[in-house]
Amino acid sequence: MNLFRRERDPKMNQTELKARVRQELLAEQYRETGKLLLPVSVSNRHVHLDASALVCLFGEGYRLTHQKDLVQLGQYACNETVTLRGPKGTLEKVRILGPLRPVTQVEISRSDCFKLGIKPCLRMSGDISGSESLTLEGPNGSLTIREGVIVAMRHLHVPSDLADTFRLKNGSFVSLITQGERPTVLMRVAVRVSDKALLEAHVDTDEANAAGIVNDMLLRGVCEDTL
């Protein structure tokens, strides 16, 4: 494999390097044992802004500032945060993730929905048609979005070059099996295959708290076609 050549690539940050090494080791283990282990990340509430929303909330000419890189290529957490205001409550210091997107999207948990006073709308990221509305408040102003507030479906990012290795197809589903004091099976984890993906499952804070999941934990994966 070309992993060590890429390690010397100055454009590769340490987060990406760690993720690439990890997924290659897990792929090799799968080839040898048939045991599918998948790294998981706990996704806290966050916001994706479009260009017009950024201007409204932070002012003309403002640019998001980088806090840390995320595993998925090109994605990063920003230093900037906003307040979310719903009919019944507010959530402060909600992190913005970059880069800017074509449409503003807010991803929160079911518990957050209850606090804000809005209906939980379970969707895949990007599928916002007919979803919930709320108000975003920044240091320069506020913005009410007509739709775009979702509870993200748990999902698994898989790089295209490893999809065949793991026998996973885009649009299929896997189950994640946890161990420990509160063993849990998380079913209907949507598989998302992409050339830009690195191997990583995403669950929200409600799911993680219920099952005792923490960042970078390795969970056993089972293709639901085989159940």
Side-chain angles (χ1 to χ4, degrees):
M1 60 186 176
N2 295 326
L3 182 62
F4 298 107
R5 176 184 64 80
R6 296 202 62 180
E7 183 177 353
R8 295 192 294 270
D9 185 346
K11 296 181 181 180
M12 185 184 295
N13 61 61
Q14 290 299 308
T15 301
E16 179 184 350
L17 175 59
K18 177 183 175 181
R20 288 189 179 279
V21 170
R22 180 176 62 186
Q23 71 182 21
E24 291 295 344
L25 292 173
L26 292 173
E28 186 62 27
Q29 176 173 297
Y30 180 78
R31 295 184 189 102
E32 293 178 355
T33 67
K35 187 175 183 179
L36 180 60
L37 292 179
L38 300 169
V40 65
S41 176
V42 180
S43 182
N44 204 347
R45 63 179 77 106
H46 60 271
V47 174
H48 301 282
L49 295 180
D50 60 31
S52 62
L54 178 66
V55 171
C56 181
L57 297 173
F58 290 90
E60 190 71 39
Y62 192 89
R63 294 191 176 186
L64 297 172
T65 58
H66 179 281
Q67 183 194 60
K68 67 176 182 178
D69 294 304
L70 303 178
V71 168
Q72 298 311 308
L73 297 176
Q75 305 294 306
Y76 56 92
C78 303
N79 291 305
E80 290 78 9
T81 62
V82 294
T83 294
L84 304 182
R85 189 174 300 279
K88 293 184 177 180
T90 62
L91 295 171
E92 298 181 343
K93 296 183 179 180
V94 179
R95 185 75 53 193
I96 296 173
L97 301 188
L100 295 177
R101 291 197 175 186
V103 181
T104 293
Q105 177 176 292
V106 178
E107 297 183 33
I108 56 179
S109 69
R110 289 179 64 88
S111 296
D112 292 335
C113 291
F114 300 145
K115 182 173 183 179
L116 292 168
I118 61 176
K119 180 181 177 181
C121 184
L122 184 65
R123 298 285 186 86
M124 288 299 294
S125 179
D127 179 13
I128 64 170
S129 178
S131 58
E132 289 296 296
S133 169
L134 53 66
T135 298
L136 290 73
E137 298 178 349
N140 188 68
S142 64
L143 170 69
T144 298
I145 55 174
R146 181 177 60 85
E147 59 185 15
V149 186
I150 66 169
V151 176
M153 292 177 62
R154 47 188 178 239
H155 56 277
L156 170 66
H157 292 285
V158 181
S160 299
D161 58 352
L162 288 180
D164 288 341
T165 297
F166 291 121
R167 301 178 183 178
L168 297 173
K169 295 181 180 180
N170 189 58
S172 62
F173 295 91
V174 299
S175 291
L176 299 177
I177 304 173
T178 75
Q179 305 295 325
E181 295 180 346
R182 306 181 74 180
T184 305
V185 178
L186 298 177
M187 301 184 69
R188 302 290 288 178
V189 180
V191 175
R192 308 187 73 176
V193 178
S194 170
D195 292 339
K196 297 181 179 180
L198 293 175
L199 188 67
E200 184 182 46
H202 287 177
V203 300
D204 69 23
T205 51
D206 283 355
E207 295 166 324
N209 289 337
I213 296 172
V214 297
N215 283 327
D216 296 325
M217 182 178 283
L218 293 178
L219 303 181
R220 184 181 177 189
V222 178
C223 295
E224 294 193 357
D225 290 343
T226 65
L227 293 178

